[in-house]
Amino acid sequence: MTKNEIADVLSEIGVLLELSGENPFKIRAYQSGARALAAMEEAELGRLITAGELATIKGFGDALVQKITELHTTGRLVFFEKLKASIEPGLAEMLQIPGLGPKKIRALHSKLGIASIAALGQACAEGKVAELEGFGEKTQEKIVEGIRNREAYGRRHLWWDAAEIAGPIVAGLRALPQVRRAESAGSLRRGMETVGDLDFIVAADDVAPVVEWFVAQPGVKEVTAQGETKASVRFESGLQADLRIVPAGQFVFALHHFTGSKDHNVQLRQRALAAGLSLSEWGLVPAEGEGTAKEKAEQGKSLVAGSERELFAALKLSFIPPELREGLGEIEAAEGDELPRLVELADLRGAFHNHTTASDGRNTLAEMTAAAEALGWEYFGIADHSKASFQAKGLSEERLLQQIGEVHALNASQRFTTHVFTGTECDILTDGRLDFDDELLAKLDYVVVSVHNAFTQDEATMTARIIRAIEHPLTSMLGHLTGRLLLRREGYQVDVTKVIDAAIANNVVIELNANPWRLDLDWRHWRKAAERGLLTSINPDAHETAGLEDVRAGVNVARKGWLTREHVLNTRPLAEVKMWLADRRR
DNA sequence: GCCGTTTTCGGCCCGACTGTTTTCAGTCG
């Protein structure tokens, strides 16, 4: 069983244990075990198991080591199968209803025999739920509402879509006269590929006008809560947003708290406790003495911090960028001042893998180049589809030769300061051969190879297919490694670690496809891959001029993957990129 | 279930909100 499959089993065990009323700390152990596993590399897991060193990983004790090993070697886990058989399958999906947790679900099941969302809806309609002890009319109404909204609003949203809504709101909040500081927090600020809801943290002198402004924003469909310090709204798209207003002295602590992640916060609070301090969204106060952290903060016992940098410094840590706050070793690295200097949008000097009207793009070569120049890029790579991608108007040999001529003419004309590279997004055929012959590929500056068909091949076939393409001497880059579309389609079955190994061995770049729907390869792979020597390129895969901006989303993912400028080919100046590409052609 | 420069047992982050209660349990982030 693969590492991700094992991680899924561990988190499912966590859910099942919750429903069976287990010790919450035991549940947490399975959940954190699942996350630790997800952050690991496939090959590393195999190595640790073979060497009997799995227990050296933090969070893996005897029980988890035994269970992970059993899953990895046999593909089964008797404990899991028995646990699963002991719990009604419909109970887990009931957890998706807001307001329903394990305790309430168990009460519904034991007292009313409810074991599915459908049965729950029926019981509500008959008024049975409201009569239960610990429940009431309001709870029942909330459940009915939750069931109704589940389909429409239950899903997550692309980071890009969420950022487009959040940006104007933060700007608008900052422009209000009552507002001293305003930021968005949550998974949006951490640069997660998808976002559940928006969080805005505001320091303001006068609350009411700010709340009134917020709930009146365009696109707000419904105001779900409106109080003294907090308001919640739902937008037309189903996206929810929370606004929290705090006194100026608390702003930094609230911002940090609501940025998360949960794992990061837990670890940082433990670190504070070890230093005799207690951290919360209210402040950083001495742990000893009577009273809650909130009370101590209000008595002026909290550290005064004007920035998150000062908050981290008080805990003897260097500043941890929000993108790294996932509880995956960033605190340990910050302790030794060993955090990487993450790549930034301004580091990019160009981009490869862009389409034009020659294949399925919506802007011409000149329009795309002008847009690249407007971004200040030194170079710009064209990579239109190859002939096998018939549905995308893939170029024939003749049309590609013609395009090469056009690019050379454009460069010679000096119409743009941006240098244009000739390239192709060449299909990897089902057996791993490339869609153009070597003579033609050799005429190009670079070659991106991608899978666009036969997605359902089994893992061994797909992995061998992609590796064969990587081993082709004229291949420069691998496009969208897994082919996933976020919130729509899983990637194809492929052994990512083996593909990464092949790319390193053959000096081939694996692109970080920056299209907001793709963000492929996932950020969880990059840190280890880069440590092993993988080079990437943040590629917009733009099909129109506006698509070039997608590199912003790609930079987020690179930062979440701990990547520095040195790991990213398209941060290099033109002369160095020319040399790198030419070296690939020897 | 995990973990330990006091600990191999007894802890495990912290607080707000809601609805149900009449002092609090459950849920959420």
Side-chain angles (χ1 to χ4, degrees):
Chain A
M1 201 177 252
T2 69
K3 149 207 100 132
N4 284 335
E5 288 167 339
I6 299 173
D8 289 345
V9 171
L10 294 186
S11 32
E12 201 178 334
I13 289 175
V15 172
L16 293 172
L17 291 178
E18 266 194 302
L19 291 169
S20 58
E22 256 292 359
N23 171 3
F25 298 104
K26 186 191 274 194
I27 294 161
R28 187 191 292 175
Y30 278 98
Q31 290 166 340
S32 69
R35 278 190 298 266
L37 211 50
M40 193 181 280
E41 288 221 330
E42 194 74 60
E44 190 187 5
L45 176 65
R47 189 184 63 74
L48 288 170
I49 286 176
T50 312
E53 290 173 356
L54 202 52
T56 60
I57 305 288
K58 204 163 179 249
F60 291 169
D62 291 343
L64 259 63
V65 167
Q66 185 273 322
K67 291 186 171 75
I68 292 168
T69 306
E70 186 174 333
L71 283 164
H72 189 258
T73 50
T74 71
R76 294 183 54 198
L77 181 60
V78 176
F79 166 80
F80 174 55
E81 286 166 14
K82 281 187 182 161
L83 178 67
K84 205 170 173 178
S86 73
I87 291 165
E88 294 270 0
L91 297 184
E93 72 168 6
M94 287 166 67
L95 278 170
Q96 295 165 11
I97 307 294
L100 283 191
K103 298 254 169 61
K104 282 213 166 78
I105 290 173
R106 277 168 53 220
L108 289 165
H109 183 225
S110 64
K111 300 213 175 109
L112 294 178
I114 293 169
S116 72
I117 289 181
L120 178 62
Q122 181 67 33
C124 287
E126 294 166 6
K128 287 182 186 164
V129 172
E131 293 165 7
L132 271 187
E133 192 186 337
F135 290 71
E137 284 296 334
K138 289 214 171 159
T139 304
Q140 180 168 285
E141 277 171 33
K142 228 179 129 191
I143 291 173
V144 171
E145 177 83 9
I147 293 174
R148 195 161 57 222
N149 285 345
R150 197 170 75 101
E151 274 306 305
Y153 302 132
R155 64 190 190 91
R156 293 178 70 83
H157 303 262
L158 290 185
W159 178 89
W160 191 270
D161 296 340
E164 286 204 324
I165 290 181
I169 291 177
V170 171
L173 285 168
R174 287 178 182 158
L176 295 177
Q178 300 85 2
V179 170
R180 294 216 231 164
R181 300 175 77 174
E183 288 282 356
S184 54
S187 47
L188 179 80
R189 184 163 181 246
R190 296 204 314 280
M192 283 291 279
E193 61 275 26
T194 61
V195 171
D197 55 20
L198 302 178
D199 293 288
F200 300 101
I201 311 296
V202 169
D205 304 318
D206 188 6
V207 172
V210 182
V211 169
E212 278 162 29
W213 180 88
F214 179 69
V215 300
Q217 281 311 287
V220 168
K221 186 184 175 193
E222 185 186 358
V223 180
T224 50
Q226 185 170 348
E228 292 290 303
T229 61
K230 193 188 152 183
S232 300
V233 299
R234 180 137 50 207
F235 292 96
E236 303 285 354
S237 66
L239 185 64
Q240 293 194 68
D242 291 340
L243 171 76
R244 292 164 210 277
I245 301 171
V246 300
Q250 193 203 320
F251 179 79
V252 166
F253 300 100
L255 176 62
H256 177 269
H257 173 82
F258 289 105
T259 297
S261 64
K262 194 176 169 123
D263 287 351
H264 171 87
N265 286 355
V266 166
Q267 291 176 21
L268 204 64
R269 286 174 177 191
Q270 282 168 345
R271 181 177 177 85
L273 276 181
L277 297 166
S278 176
L279 176 66
S280 76
E281 63 263 47
W282 293 97
L284 182 63
V285 302
E288 79 274 8
E290 289 294 305
T292 64
K294 179 185 177 184
E295 288 161 0
K296 290 175 187 169
E298 283 168 350
Q299 290 158 17
K301 290 181 185 164
S302 174
L303 168 89
V304 177
S307 67
E308 285 185 326
R309 186 173 295 280
E310 290 171 30
L311 166 57
F312 285 116
L315 296 169
K316 297 193 167 52
L317 296 172
S318 49
F319 176 75
I320 301 174
E323 297 92 332
L324 298 190
R325 299 182 198 167
E326 297 293 344
L328 295 172
E330 71 276 8
I331 292 175
E332 291 83 346
E335 188 172 46
D337 199 18
E338 287 159 359
L339 286 171
R341 182 169 177 171
L342 301 177
V343 63
E344 294 173 17
L345 186 60
D347 290 329
L348 298 189
R349 294 167 183 260
F352 302 93
H353 192 168
N354 301 290
H355 298 268
T356 73
T357 46
S359 65
D360 59 350
R362 305 209 297 183
N363 287 102
T364 63
L365 169 63
E367 288 166 346
M368 293 296 283
T369 309
E373 184 183 51
L375 290 171
W377 286 351
E378 295 174 27
Y379 48 89
F380 182 63
I382 301 296
D384 270 315
H385 289 284
S386 63
K387 61 180 188 293
S389 277
F390 183 77
Q391 75 289 350
K393 275 172 59 191
L395 275 61
S396 64
E397 282 83 357
E398 295 72 27
R399 292 175 61 217
L400 180 54
L401 281 169
Q402 184 190 338
Q403 186 183 57
I404 293 171
E406 288 168 14
V407 169
H408 288 162
L410 188 68
N411 283 331
S413 75
Q414 300 194 330
R415 181 174 160 196
F416 300 106
T417 56
T418 302
H419 176 81
V420 183
F421 286 119
T422 60
T424 175
E425 181 179 15
C426 185
D427 268 34
I428 301 175
L429 306 179
T430 52
D431 61 358
R433 285 180 302 119
L434 301 187
D435 192 23
F436 287 131
D437 62 29
D438 293 2
E439 191 189 346
L440 179 55
L441 292 176
K443 290 186 163 70
L444 296 161
D445 293 320
Y446 70 101
V447 175
V448 181
V449 298
S450 302
V451 167
H452 287 118
N453 66 357
F455 294 157
T456 54
Q457 288 178 331
D458 64 58
E459 181 177 316
T461 309
M462 181 63 85
T463 304
R465 171 187 182 186
I466 294 175
I467 289 177
R468 184 174 176 195
I470 285 176
E471 287 171 345
H472 191 291
L474 292 167
T475 294
S476 328
M477 301 185 191
L478 173 64
H480 45 72
L481 197 160
T482 74
R484 75 170 177 187
L485 293 178
L486 290 164
L487 308 173
R488 279 189 196 169
R489 174 178 94 195
E490 294 291 307
Y492 19 83
Q493 299 293 311
V494 56
D495 186 332
V496 172
T497 306
K498 278 189 186 161
V499 172
I500 290 172
D501 285 341
I504 294 169
N506 290 281
N507 194 21
V508 163
V509 162
I510 292 182
E511 82 170 6
L512 199 173
N513 190 299
N515 183 304
W517 284 103
R518 295 186 180 272
L519 300 176
D520 183 8
L521 189 61
D522 188 277
W523 62 268
R524 294 160 186 82
H525 291 285
W526 285 107
R527 184 179 175 191
K528 287 271 168 53
E531 277 172 8
R532 297 213 318 262
L534 183 67
L535 185 63
T536 189
S537 172
I538 297 175
N539 286 351
D541 196 359
H543 285 71
E544 56 189 317
T545 53
L548 297 178
E549 305 271 358
D550 289 357
V551 289
R552 249 179 89 208
V555 168
N556 275 344
V557 170
R559 290 171 65 85
K560 286 195 84 61
W562 294 55
L563 298 187
T564 70
R565 203 165 54 182
E566 289 70 31
H567 297 128
V568 183
L569 177 65
N570 54 327
T571 64
R572 299 186 186 174
L574 176 62
E576 282 182 35
V577 167
K578 278 185 174 171
M579 274 171 49
W580 190 87
L581 293 176
D583 276 348
R584 297 274 321 132
R585 305 268 128 172
R586 286 207 190 108

